[in-house]
Amino acid sequence: MKRRLILSAGLAAPFLAVGSAHAQSTDRAAVQRVEAYLNSLRTLRARFLQVAQNGASAQGTALISRPGRMRFDYDPPEPLLLVASGGQVLMYDRELRQPTAVPASSTPLGLLLTPEIRLSGDITVVGTERTGGFLRIGLHRTGARAEGVLTLAFAEQPMELRQWTVLDAQARETRVTLYEVETGIALANRLFDFNDPRFLEAESTRR
């Protein structure tokens, strides 16, 4: 059961939900700064801690290679691997050797994968907030707030992505916190190439 809870959160989460019924103000300069930072981000490697609303937690390693690629490798005993590439997100259970793929555009992952990130138009900014040295920005797909709200949290000096939370359509919250963050590092394309048959063969043996 724990795995199912982590698994169902996984596609939603690898993204603090400021999203609530209360109206929030929006700092347009902060939004522009976040947009510029995300577009300048090319590669990132970090450890992550994912916590679901029911308290279930998992840790692992996150890799981002923009545009288009992302990987969330969960530590044992959690057998889950999430990989985004080529407009798709693969969810792979190493224990069951069971892959599931969905369009990246149907998950919050899609926001960070686009070649040009624009926090307007197809994306609506719910509000911005500064607390505890962090800048938080709430987002949802324009015209589809019922699908859920994604909030990204950034350290500001220097600016660095440190956390995200998804508040889904059922009002369940999943939070992912990044630590030991490295950017500008070299990441091999093979880490994300799940369309190569050898990819799953290799991943099924990693426990």
Side-chain angles (χ1 to χ4, degrees), residues 10-205:
L11 285 176
F15 285 106
L16 222 181
V18 175
S20 69
H22 301 291
Q24 292 186 331
S25 62
T26 299
D27 183 333
R28 294 298 176 187
V31 172
Q32 292 175 356
R33 189 175 173 212
V34 166
E35 192 175 84
Y37 164 79
L38 292 174
N39 281 309
S40 71
L41 183 65
R42 286 294 171 257
T43 58
L44 177 148
R45 177 169 56 212
R47 294 288 295 164
F48 71 84
L49 171 64
Q50 178 177 316
V51 181
Q53 184 162 309
N54 67 350
S57 64
Q59 297 186 74
T61 300
L63 304 174
I64 297 175
S65 180
R66 294 195 63 254
R69 299 183 176 96
M70 190 177 293
R71 176 179 175 128
F72 291 84
D73 206 340
Y74 289 75
D75 293 345
E78 180 59 49
L80 183 62
L81 171 69
L82 293 174
V83 183
S85 182
Q88 291 185 304
V89 177
L90 172 77
M91 182 168 58
Y92 183 62
D93 187 316
R94 292 190 177 104
E95 186 174 271
L96 301 178
R97 299 191 177 186
Q98 179 177 328
T100 302
V102 298
S105 60
S106 69
T107 78
L109 293 171
L111 171 65
L112 295 182
L113 298 175
T114 57
E116 182 181 3
I117 296 173
R118 296 178 63 245
L119 302 183
S120 60
D122 293 339
I123 300 295
T124 294
V125 175
V126 179
T128 56
E129 181 181 64
R130 283 185 170 88
T131 56
F134 287 87
L135 168 65
R136 292 176 170 84
I137 178 168
L139 313 164
H140 64 79
R141 282 208 311 132
T142 299
R145 179 165 181 158
E147 292 180 355
V149 176
L150 163 69
T151 300
L152 304 176
F154 302 85
E156 289 200 83
Q157 300 297 333
M159 180 159 278
E160 183 176 78
L161 179 62
R162 297 292 294 275
Q163 189 181 75
W164 57 73
T165 298
V166 168
L167 186 67
D168 70 15
Q170 287 73 47
R172 296 173 301 193
E173 182 180 284
T174 303
R175 180 177 303 177
V176 174
T177 300
L178 303 180
Y179 58 100
E180 298 178 9
V181 178
E182 301 174 89
T183 58
I185 43 100
L187 295 174
N189 287 342
R190 60 180 173 76
L191 294 169
F192 311 93
D193 190 10
F194 57 79
N195 288 314
D196 185 331
R198 295 170 296 181
F199 180 92
L200 292 184
E201 290 175 10
E203 292 301 332
S204 65
T205 64

